[in-house]
Amino acid sequence: MGMPIRIGIAGLGTVGIGVVKILRECSDIIEARLGKRVEVVAVTAKSKEKPRDENLDGYAWEENPLDLVNRNDIDIFVELIGGTDGVAHEAVKLALSNGKHVVTANKAMLAVHGKKLAELAESNNVSLKLEAAVAGGIPVIKVITESLAGSNIKRVMGVINGSCNYILTRMEKSGLSYETIFKEANDLGYLEADPQLDVGGIDAAHKIAILSSLSFGTVVNLDGVTIQGIEKISIDDIKHAADMGYRIKLLATAQITELGLEQRVTPCLVPDLSPLGGLEGGTNMVVIETIGSDPIILQGPGAGRIPTANAVVSDIIDIIRGSKVKTFGRAASLLKDVHVSKGSTSTSYYIRLLVDDKPGTLAKVTAALGNEGISINRLRQYDHNATKAPVIIVTHETTSSSIEIALKKLSETGVISIEPVALRIEK
Ligand code: HSE
């Protein structure tokens, strides 16, 4: 069977411990499939003392990830520390420069430094693999870079933040407010250490920026993603959407339009009977639309110990098998810098306003929309109190740029009391 392949793991949180567990418990299966043994040799994490589910006694402990990388008994460096910059980024750069293969789940780092790191890997003739960085246990990276290597992808979209989907579906089922369910999710440990990464749409933006690069061969462009989180979604929005046959999902979408690359993460109304509309709890779904084929729909766990660790281990196995698939599915030098287009694709919108209940208010609302060429499909005023009235509007197709301008001008008229909520309706 020859020499074992030696692994160093930096970061022993949920996923890191999962990788240790799989490599230990499935070592015979992996050896049978590979014809080689895979062994964890050394590990590092912030705290050695922290109680963990796996016994780490058999592994060398390094205090510093850079020291782990510098060990000469490591063939593959697994980075599960996380974070855009800092020690994770330094350790990955050092490993690649030292000619060591790297497997990472670090979407934030890849969304910002992806192209440079891929170039570094290629110039040192080693692999940088990222299956676990997007949608955890769904093998979407391999599907795009390998299974669809001959396909022309026109749009990739999905629910790729499980925590937001958990919050939205729990609100819907319980009738409880965003604030209450946010606290519940946080108490259950479902949210990132900085919950804003989840509910602010940033985690999904990291992931769609990576999927976009893989799908269209473009340079990863996080700044080009329009981001809107779920914080302003009220239980009323969820009920109104349900009345119209929709559910609200935090949808990440990337597509090439005539005006350039459009990438967005925004809460949207999707038909409740569609695959995306039926998605419950923390599950993820990615829909890949290619020319000449019906959409490919992948569904599965977007996070969690074993699903995400499996993705890491599959990358380790790919490297050992000698996979030549590049980080973003093509040579980093061939990734294109394309024009970013924001808000150009048309769709209907759901708008919720709280307006002054006095003569002429609705005229101002309809004028603000009409002046931007926005036509109203439905309008409903409900639950008035003494002075205020909530208003729900569904528009005909328009662009987000027109909606933004109309709502800004409407705010300037002084008839609306809270910041309006405007959500795309996806067909
Ligand atoms: N915070 C992420 C989610 C975890 O909720 O999907 C996996 O990236």
Side-chain angles (χ1 to χ4, degrees):
M1 289 281 180
M3 291 281 287
I5 303 298
R6 300 156 306 173
I7 310 293
I9 303 175
L12 294 168
T14 305
V15 182
I17 289 296
V19 174
V20 170
K21 195 175 174 61
I22 292 173
L23 290 180
R24 184 177 275 162
E25 292 179 5
C26 302
S27 62
D28 291 346
I29 299 175
I30 293 170
E31 183 175 356
R33 287 181 181 150
L34 269 176
K36 277 187 184 7
R37 283 200 81 73
V38 182
E39 287 178 5
V40 176
V41 169
V43 296
T44 179
K46 255 195 214 149
S47 156
K48 191 175 181 184
E49 282 69 41
K50 183 179 155 186
R52 296 188 169 89
D53 296 345
E54 285 290 305
N55 180 353
L56 302 172
D57 287 349
Y59 312 131
W61 180 274
E62 294 288 353
E63 288 299 330
N64 185 331
L66 300 180
D67 293 337
L68 179 74
V69 169
N70 279 328
R71 290 177 69 101
N72 55 17
D73 57 356
I74 300 292
D75 303 305
I76 300 177
F77 174 62
V78 177
E79 185 276 303
L80 301 170
I81 302 167
T84 309
D85 294 296
V87 71
H89 185 216
E90 291 310 315
V92 167
K93 281 192 294 184
L94 182 66
L96 297 173
S97 306
N98 287 358
K100 290 194 165 84
H101 302 289
V102 173
V103 175
T104 179
N106 190 337
K107 57 230 158 179
M109 177 184 72
L110 292 163
V112 173
H113 304 293
K115 181 173 189 253
K116 284 220 160 95
L117 292 173
E119 280 170 346
L120 189 58
E122 285 166 33
S123 63
N124 286 284
N125 209 18
V126 288
S127 292
L128 168 65
K129 295 273 186 187
L130 67 167
E131 184 63 69
V134 179
I138 303 180
V140 61
I141 310 276
K142 291 194 205 323
V143 167
I144 292 175
T145 55
E146 297 179 38
S147 316
L148 297 177
S151 300
N152 191 350
I153 299 176
K154 55 180 184 177
R155 182 161 75 152
V156 58
M157 66 196 293
V159 170
I160 49 179
N161 183 277
S163 310
C164 288
N165 205 52
Y166 172 85
I167 291 175
L168 292 170
T169 50
R170 271 287 292 146
M171 283 172 71
E172 187 180 1
K173 292 219 160 31
S174 65
L176 295 171
S177 68
Y178 169 79
E179 289 73 19
T180 306
I181 300 298
F182 170 87
K183 185 174 178 313
E184 176 187 291
N186 208 18
D187 290 347
L188 287 167
Y190 289 178
L191 300 176
E192 301 273 346
D194 174 4
Q196 190 57 25
L197 289 175
D198 285 319
V199 297
I202 301 154
D203 170 81
H206 292 147
K207 294 168 180 168
I208 197 69
I210 294 168
L211 288 184
S212 186
S213 172
L214 292 155
S215 301
F216 309 120
T218 49
V219 174
V220 197
N221 188 338
L222 181 63
D223 291 339
V225 185
T226 299
I227 308 175
Q228 186 187 335
I230 62 165
E231 306 101 313
K232 288 194 200 131
I233 303 297
S234 70
I235 197 70
D236 279 356
D237 295 322
I238 288 176
K239 285 182 183 156
H240 290 306
D243 284 349
M244 296 188 288
Y246 292 94
R247 294 179 89 191
I248 299 179
K249 300 286 166 196
L250 183 71
L251 211 59
T253 305
Q255 67 193 107
I256 300 279
T257 72
E258 283 169 8
L259 298 174
L261 174 64
E262 181 157 334
Q263 307 171 100
R264 55 179 184 272
V265 172
T266 54
C268 297
L269 276 67
V270 298
D272 55 8
L273 296 179
S274 64
L276 283 163
L279 205 62
E280 300 288 343
T283 310
N284 280 199
M285 180 176 282
V286 183
V287 180
I288 306 166
E289 296 173 358
T290 65
I291 307 275
S293 163
D294 284 342
I296 289 152
I297 301 175
L298 306 169
Q299 177 177 346
R305 170 163 293 171
I306 295 303
T308 313
N310 263 326
V312 171
V313 173
S314 79
D315 276 345
I316 293 174
I317 290 174
D318 267 1
I319 291 171
I320 300 168
R321 284 177 169 157
S323 162
K324 294 279 177 263
V325 179
K326 303 266 196 282
T327 310
F328 291 100
R330 66 185 70 192
S333 58
L334 297 180
L335 293 171
K336 296 167 287 189
D337 240 328
V338 296
H339 181 260
V340 168
S341 151
K342 287 195 175 180
S344 65
T345 52
S346 296
T347 194
S348 301
Y349 274 81
Y350 159 98
I351 302 171
R352 174 169 53 85
L353 306 169
L354 186 64
V355 300
D356 295 342
D357 197 2
K358 61 184 188 194
T361 295
L362 279 186
K364 287 183 180 154
V365 171
T366 54
L369 296 173
N371 288 342
E372 297 312 314
I374 301 169
S375 175
I376 294 171
N377 182 352
R378 292 195 240 175
L379 186 150
R380 184 175 163 220
Q381 209 170 305
Y382 68 105
D383 285 351
H384 308 58
N385 64 24
T387 56
K388 304 285 177 195
V391 172
I392 298 299
I393 297 170
V394 174
T395 72
H396 285 292
E397 286 204 358
T398 182
T399 61
S400 66
S401 314
S402 302
I403 292 280
E404 258 171 46
I405 297 169
L407 294 181
K408 184 167 180 293
K409 291 200 176 147
L410 182 58
S411 300
E412 287 161 8
T413 66
V415 297
I416 57 173
S417 309
I418 56 165
E419 207 185 325
V421 169
L423 307 175
R424 292 175 68 92
I425 303 178
E426 295 288 350
K427 285 190 225 67

